[in-house]
Amino acid sequence: MDLFDLTGRVALVTGAGRGIGRACALGLAKAGADLALAARSVEQVEKGAAEIRETGREATAHTVDVRDVSDIRRLVADVTGPHGQIDILLNNAGTNVQQDVLDVTEQDWDLVVDTNLKGAFFVAQEVGRAMVERGSGKIVNMASTFAGLGFPGRASYASSKGGVLQFTRVMALEWASRGVNVNAVGPTATMTPMNAALFAEDEYRGRVLSRIPAGRLATPDDVVGAVVFLASPASDMVNGHMLLVDGGWSAI
């Protein structure tokens, strides 16, 4: 089990206030890591940090708007100060606007792409600088099943997550020989606070469930094991990979 031991590592998790980010932050702490939690809402990350401290690990709470590159740089400096360095990045901040292609507005497109793609890229770039210089680090980017599969109503979201998968591959190619592993996780439809209203619609929920052989939606806890694996020594020879957590959707 030492392969999955993260004792002595520092993990930064963006989008850590709720849902997948919060569950994975707690999972990383239970594997031994100390945490820096970041989100737009300081109240949410403060609650998550308090929960992690109850496990005996250190945790700090930070705010960030990943659409603002200068704010990303400020965040990384703020985390590096108390923690010394960032060993693990879970690049999780994201959003979604459900729209048919003909209804997508420039404003909504920019919100989704700037958060999910631009924001994720520049967070990974900023954290990756020190990792490359140091010669070690683990970056886990939150992609999606829709990074490789299309689905009605997800034009902007699928575009952004497809981009996440592609920059994950390019970063892995450039940084693997320098001791930095860059990979992604691709969850299927996951019951989170952000998606709760959407899955409350019987027609949409049924359409999604019909595509998942496992017969249920994912939960945030379903994603934790994949993240811990990609953050741990167990994945030292895994580079540029998207680990699907999709209940078999992509096998259809």
Side-chain angles (χ1 to χ4, degrees):
M1 293 304 295
D2 288 345
L3 282 173
F4 302 96
D5 184 11
L6 301 179
T7 302
R9 312 289 177 88
V10 174
L12 167 62
V13 179
T14 64
R18 57 183 185 168
I20 291 174
R22 186 161 177 174
C24 289
L26 183 59
L28 291 166
K30 289 180 177 179
D34 294 324
L35 270 295
L37 282 66
R40 286 182 296 173
S41 169
V42 68
E43 292 82 7
Q44 289 181 339
V45 287
E46 283 285 9
K47 289 179 182 178
E51 186 177 8
I52 286 169
R53 291 186 199 108
E54 291 177 1
T55 72
R57 308 312 310 168
E58 295 181 10
T60 55
H62 308 265
T63 59
V64 67
D65 182 346
V66 298
R67 297 170 296 176
D68 183 341
V69 175
S70 64
D71 205 36
I72 291 170
R73 292 171 180 156
R74 188 269 313 158
L75 167 68
V76 173
D78 287 351
V79 172
T80 303
H83 290 285
Q85 67 184 38
I86 299 168
D87 303 292
I88 299 160
L89 168 64
L90 175 56
N91 208 1
N92 174 71
T95 192
N96 179 44
V97 180
Q98 176 84 4
Q99 294 169 313
D100 290 342
V101 169
L102 294 180
D103 296 325
V104 175
T105 66
E106 181 180 9
Q107 181 180 9
D108 291 330
W109 175 274
D110 288 347
L111 171 65
V112 173
V113 173
D114 285 357
T115 303
N116 296 359
L117 180 55
K118 174 187 172 183
F121 176 85
F122 283 103
V123 171
Q125 181 196 65
E126 189 66 18
V127 174
R129 290 185 193 280
M131 290 181 172
V132 169
E133 184 176 328
R134 187 171 67 240
S136 67
K138 299 273 189 170
I139 294 176
V140 183
N141 296 315
M142 192 58 64
S144 167
T145 305
F146 297 142
L149 299 172
F151 195 73
R154 294 297 180 107
S156 56
Y157 184 81
S159 297
S160 69
K161 293 301 186 177
V164 169
L165 176 56
Q166 288 301 90
F167 83 64
T168 295
R169 290 167 170 162
V170 174
M171 286 181 176
L173 290 172
E174 294 187 8
W175 296 350
S177 65
R178 306 176 77 173
V180 179
N181 297 76
V182 186
N183 292 288
V185 174
T188 189
T190 305
M191 180 55 81
T192 65
M194 185 173 71
N195 292 330
L198 193 59
F199 292 136
E201 300 175 10
D202 291 340
E203 188 276 334
Y204 184 83
R205 183 186 180 98
R207 187 151 47 107
V208 169
L209 286 173
S210 71
R211 302 295 302 272
I212 303 176
R216 66 174 178 87
L217 300 173
T219 69
D221 286 342
D222 288 319
V223 185
V224 173
V227 169
V228 171
F229 166 66
L230 291 175
S232 75
S235 63
D236 280 352
M237 198 57 177
V238 181
N239 299 86
H241 177 69
M242 181 170 71
L243 178 51
L244 290 166
V245 184
D246 69 351
W249 183 322
S250 59
I252 296 174

